[in-house]
Amino acid sequence: MMSKIETVQKEMIAAMKAKDTERKETLTLLLSALKAKAKDKKEALTEEEENTIILKEIKQAEESLAGAEKAARADLIDMNKKRIAVLADFAPKQMNAEEIKQVIAGVLQQLGIEKPEPKDKGSIMKNLMPLVTGKADGGLVNRMVGELMK
């Protein structure tokens, strides 16, 4: 199986040949982020580490998009939407609310908690997050666990 770095390099070359400048620029940024992390680590990245970097890049583009929308900058809005679309091609499939509920239920069962209370949240999250990291938005997971305690 190809690493994300190899996949991104291939896609970047294809974008250059197709003269798709915006896609090439986004892939260049992603590639440098992946390579920098691998260089810091001094070894190949795990799939989870690669996914974390990709999700971080998406989050940055989303934050830039929000800023561009506030400033009513159509050029930046368009650029960030395209950047998010390109990065989404490489992002791991995100879990939907139903899948997250199933994982939460499994963790509760594993911990033997029938009616979660606020004092249980720490141990629930500690066991839950490794199962959903990179596959689900942490804020959404946190809110869903919080709703169970109401």
Side-chain angles (χ1 to χ4, degrees):
M1 196 172 100
M2 255 194 286
S3 76
K4 285 272 196 306
I5 290 177
E6 294 165 332
T7 308
V8 172
Q9 280 175 325
K10 272 189 162 176
E11 289 290 324
M12 193 173 76
I13 291 167
M16 278 191 255
K17 287 179 181 173
K19 299 198 181 348
D20 186 344
T21 315
E22 288 176 332
R23 184 172 174 83
K24 183 197 133 308
E25 286 174 3
T26 299
L27 294 173
T28 302
L29 290 171
L30 177 58
L31 188 61
S32 64
L34 289 166
K35 283 183 170 180
K37 180 70 174 173
K39 188 176 177 186
D40 289 348
K41 193 179 164 197
K42 294 183 175 51
E43 60 183 63
L45 300 174
T46 65
E47 188 177 350
E48 195 171 289
E49 289 168 327
E50 291 173 338
N51 289 338
T52 301
I53 292 167
I54 293 166
L55 293 171
K56 183 177 163 209
E57 292 291 318
I58 290 173
K59 188 171 186 158
Q60 285 176 342
E62 287 170 344
E63 288 169 0
S64 296
L65 175 61
E69 286 172 343
K70 271 188 188 154
R73 293 275 313 266
D75 55 335
L76 294 178
I77 291 171
D78 189 45
M79 182 189 79
N80 282 298
K81 282 183 177 175
K82 286 178 180 166
R83 180 167 286 166
I84 292 166
V86 170
L87 292 170
D89 292 346
F90 298 94
K93 181 187 164 294
Q94 294 292 292
M95 298 170 86
N96 62 31
E98 198 51 49
E99 292 169 317
I100 296 169
K101 278 182 188 168
Q102 290 173 349
V103 176
I104 292 171
V107 168
L108 291 175
Q109 191 175 15
Q110 184 185 356
L111 295 172
I113 300 172
E114 283 180 36
K115 181 106 177 75
E117 294 179 26
K119 67 177 173 61
D120 300 322
K121 191 169 186 176
S123 62
I124 293 170
M125 293 302 283
K126 190 175 110 192
N127 287 278
L128 178 62
M129 287 316 289
L131 303 174
V132 298
T133 299
K135 298 178 200 147
D137 176 45
L140 175 63
V141 172
N142 192 12
R143 281 193 303 279
M144 290 176 74
V145 170
E147 284 170 16
L148 287 177
M149 296 178 188
K150 290 180 179 167

